[in-house]
Amino acid sequence: MVSATGVRALIDERGAEFEGYTFGFLDDMAKREIRRTILKAVAIPGHQVPFGSREMPIARGWGTGGLQITLACVGADDTIKVIDQGDDASVNAVNLRRLIAKTTGARETLTTGEATLIQSRHRIPEERMTAAQILILQVPIPEPLRHVERSVASARAMHAEADYARMWLALYEDVVRNGEVTAGAGYPVMVNGRFVMAPSPIPRWDIPKLNQADTLFLFGAGREKRIYAVPPFTNVQPLEFDDYPFEIEAFPNMSCRRCGATDSYLVTSPQADGGTLSVCSDTSYCDDVLAGRKVENQW
Amino acid sequence: MVEPLLRVRDLTKIYSGKGHHIVACEDVSFDVYPGEVLGIVGESGSGKSTVLQCLFQDVVPTSGAAYLTSFHEGERNMFEADRRERRELRTHRMSMVYQNPRQGLNLMVTAGGNVAERLLAADWRRVSDIRAKASDYLVRTEVPIERMDDFPAFFSGGMQQRVQIAKALANSPELVLLDELTTGLDVSVQAGVLDLVRDIQSRYGVTAIIVSHDLGVIRLLADRTLVMKDGHVVESGLTDQILEDPQHPYTQLLVNCVTN
Ligand SMILES: Nc1ncnc2c1ncn2[C@@H]1O[C@H](COP(=O)(O)OP(=O)(O)OP(=O)(O)O)[C@@H](O)[C@H]1O
Ligand SMILES: [Mg+2]
Ligand SMILES: [Zn+2]
């Protein structure tokens, strides 16, 4: 975080770019409220804390929750990375990154290892994140009980009482009907043995990364006005039955067509010639492997 | 001396309408002993269901107390339970079979799932164990096992009722509350459900309160009986005694109606 005089100096220095905006776009009261909400969220891992989501210069549903957290946390000396489904180059990721950099003077990067703050949609980077980094995940639907309890008040009461029988029942019915728990993106997890949490629509592949990590994970849902967190070294367990254990996606006999990696989450797209193309979902990781850089990817 | 499993004292429920009050039940007191079936009989509107709804905490009583031996050693009024304790009471210690199976079942969930819900609430986490237990109870309640993974929305009323009974018994609650369990069923189906409950009772010694406006049902199932009229208990005793030698004029009327 940058000091007040630091901000002043920065604004003087880059006055043209900041014109008409406060540092980090949000006003100080908004930032203060969001930071307070983050502290609460960290204090109660997995618990959704309401906050007064602000109007942002992007549409709700495009990462406004994540963006508000990022803007409330970022300092001028931070290095930021924004990824959309693993990709730094998507229009949405580029726009968000530009907005953050422009209103704060923070450095931009595409490389996971260089970033201090990473805002992400639908992925956790393959490269193992460190205690010096924060991952901010954009969340469309923060309530994991949404599909078993439509009433918001009842769902809250269920969280308060740790009454998750209905959630388990939905998983049981899934197993009976489909022979397995079919939940793919956003597999429900139990945080710190207490709260069932929606980990945002990350693939199963990324779920184990949440458990006992070095990194702080912050989750922001702008439209639903909720912030929650998984602090470092917190137990995060996917909901699973003893005889139907949780499994991550498998890519048998597959590797990235671009970098050759066999240890990353692959996305497969159909090709004009009728074949398919599988490449790393995480473009930073793919670039690193391609360039022969050594990457610590064991989460 | 055997201690009662449940003691109910001065249970009163008053519904407040516009400028008037409906006394659904007033100063109802009774004990239920382990392994016995207590019957509550009375005409429509006499307050029978209200008593069960209060005990199962579906409605909040106006005054009175109920003590369950396993709840704070029977020393705390279970009407003063907090939310968490209330859920504990409803999912582990007591169960309710509603007159309308739609109230007691989740029709969007399979028959097996309905039974499984109580087991999941009790932290069962192995699907094969859950299914073994659920199918065991569905078999006991004569629900064809091949219907286990079907939705009860498409079952007959009698079979829905049997699924409800399986669900109510699945995690061996201390006390089962049964409200008019045969009302609304065909006479032929009624007999089957009654036989089933009697069989389960004699084999497993379930403690139950069974509410009915039908003295025939009470005669078949209840060891002791309360007779209710206008929200009050007017007579209580062994079922046989009440049937043979009714004391209160209302009970006499009731018994005469049945025997004649
Ligand atoms: N939610 C309610 N609001 C107002 N009055 C109610 C409510 N529920 C029950 N009552 C009234 O309380 C009285 C007792 O009702 P209750 O349902 O307990 O009777 P019952 O003996 O179960 O009758 P039945 O045999 O018809 O089921 C009735 O006069 C009824 O109209
Ligand atoms: Mg009734
Ligand atoms: Zn690659």
Side-chain angles (χ1 to χ4, degrees), chain A residues 90-107:
Chain A
S90 94
V91 175
N92 194 36
V94 170
N95 283 337
L96 286 172
R97 191 167 56 241
R98 205 177 280 159
L99 174 79
I100 299 160
K102 206 154 193 185
T103 58
T104 61
R107 277 188 55 216

Side-chain angles (χ1 to χ4, degrees), chain A residues 13-296:
Chain A
E13 181 187 315
R14 304 183 57 166
E17 287 182 32
F18 281 90
E19 197 144 20
Y21 297 104
T22 48
F23 179 86
F25 185 82
L26 294 168
D27 63 82
D28 284 348
M29 289 309 287
K31 276 187 241 170
R32 194 179 297 174
E33 192 216 334
I34 293 165
R35 288 176 194 153
R36 234 185 342 239
T37 307
I38 292 170
L39 287 178
K40 261 193 222 174
V42 167
I44 315 171
H47 172 59
Q48 303 164 51
V49 187
F51 79 111
S53 187
R54 299 303 196 282
E55 286 300 329
M56 298 304 289
I58 55 170
R60 288 195 167 163
W62 291 90
T64 53
L67 181 61
Q68 288 176 80
I69 293 179
T70 303
L71 292 173
C73 292
V74 67
D77 47 359
D78 271 312
T79 304
I80 53 144
K81 171 181 159 79
V82 179
I83 32 180
D84 186 351
Q85 308 216 50
D87 185 358
D88 297 84
S90 94
V91 175
N92 194 36
V94 170
N95 283 337
L96 286 172
R97 191 167 56 241
R98 205 177 280 159
L99 174 79
I100 299 160
K102 206 154 193 185
T103 58
T104 61
R107 277 188 55 216
E108 299 177 40
T109 185
L110 307 185
T111 307
T112 301
E114 286 176 8
T116 54
L117 283 181
I118 301 178
Q119 178 172 334
S120 173
R121 172 172 174 267
H122 296 194
R123 277 310 310 274
I124 295 176
E126 302 291 4
E127 180 173 353
R128 189 187 175 101
M129 291 179 66
T130 66
Q133 298 177 303
I134 298 176
L135 182 68
I136 296 153
L137 283 154
Q138 299 169 199
V139 178
I141 298 171
E143 181 49 77
L145 303 177
R146 170 76 52 95
H147 62 284
V148 298
E149 177 55 66
R150 256 177 293 169
S151 149
V152 175
S154 302
R156 266 204 226 165
M158 286 161 73
H159 283 297
E161 297 170 34
D163 171 15
Y164 295 123
R166 297 258 295 284
M167 187 76 199
W168 283 103
L169 181 58
L171 298 180
Y172 166 89
E173 293 277 300
D174 202 4
V175 168
V176 166
R177 237 167 294 154
N178 305 304
E180 59 175 342
V181 177
T182 53
Y187 194 99
V189 293
M190 174 67 82
V191 177
N192 197 26
R194 177 58 183 83
F195 286 100
V196 169
M197 184 189 89
S200 85
I202 55 176
R204 289 177 178 224
W205 181 272
D206 290 339
I207 294 285
K209 299 174 182 174
L210 291 166
N211 185 43
Q212 288 292 330
D214 297 325
T215 308
L216 168 64
F217 300 97
L218 298 174
F219 299 81
R223 192 182 39 205
E224 307 279 332
K225 303 183 167 72
R226 292 286 183 280
I227 287 173
Y228 50 100
V230 173
F233 307 110
T234 302
N235 283 331
V236 177
Q237 299 299 335
L239 300 187
E240 61 185 346
F241 290 107
D242 297 348
D243 45 354
Y244 288 85
F246 169 86
E247 280 170 14
I248 60 172
E249 293 87 353
F251 302 99
N253 307 318
M254 286 169 74
S255 58
C256 172
R257 188 83 69 84
R258 190 165 166 265
C259 74
T262 54
D263 58 356
S264 75
Y265 183 76
L266 300 176
V267 283
T268 302
S269 50
Q271 295 299 294
D273 63 6
T276 56
L277 177 71
S278 297
V279 290
C280 296
S281 140
D282 183 337
T283 54
S284 166
Y285 183 70
C286 199
D287 288 346
D288 280 343
V289 175
L290 204 59
R293 279 191 289 270
K294 195 177 153 9
V295 178
E296 170 86 73

Side-chain angles (χ1 to χ4, degrees), chain B residues 43-50 53 99 179-180 211-213:
Chain B
E43 64 194 1
S44 182
S46 58
K48 308 180 296 293
S49 295
T50 303
Q53 286 157 4
Q99 174 174 344
D179 194 0
E180 305 279 4
V211 154
S212 182
H213 64 275

Side-chain angles (χ1 to χ4, degrees), chain B residues 154-170:
Chain B
F154 307 114
F155 292 2
S156 68
M159 208 197 291
Q160 286 181 347
Q161 200 57 299
R162 293 203 297 273
V163 174
Q164 222 201 152
I165 295 168
K167 176 181 183 173
L169 296 173

Side-chain angles (χ1 to χ4, degrees), chain B residues 144-208:
Chain B
I145 204 61
E146 62 272 17
R147 309 293 312 263
M148 178 169 176
D149 296 332
D150 293 344
F151 294 99
F154 307 114
F155 292 2
S156 68
M159 208 197 291
Q160 286 181 347
Q161 200 57 299
R162 293 203 297 273
V163 174
Q164 222 201 152
I165 295 168
K167 176 181 183 173
L169 296 173
N171 62 343
S172 311
E174 293 160 28
L175 180 65
V176 183
L177 309 171
L178 303 126
D179 194 0
E180 305 279 4
L181 90 154
T182 54
T183 314
L185 299 180
D186 288 349
V187 180
S188 56
V189 181
Q190 280 187 20
V193 172
L194 289 177
D195 280 349
L196 170 69
V197 172
R198 193 156 72 151
D199 181 52
I200 288 171
Q201 157 60 17
S202 66
R203 272 204 250 180
Y204 309 110
V206 182
T207 309

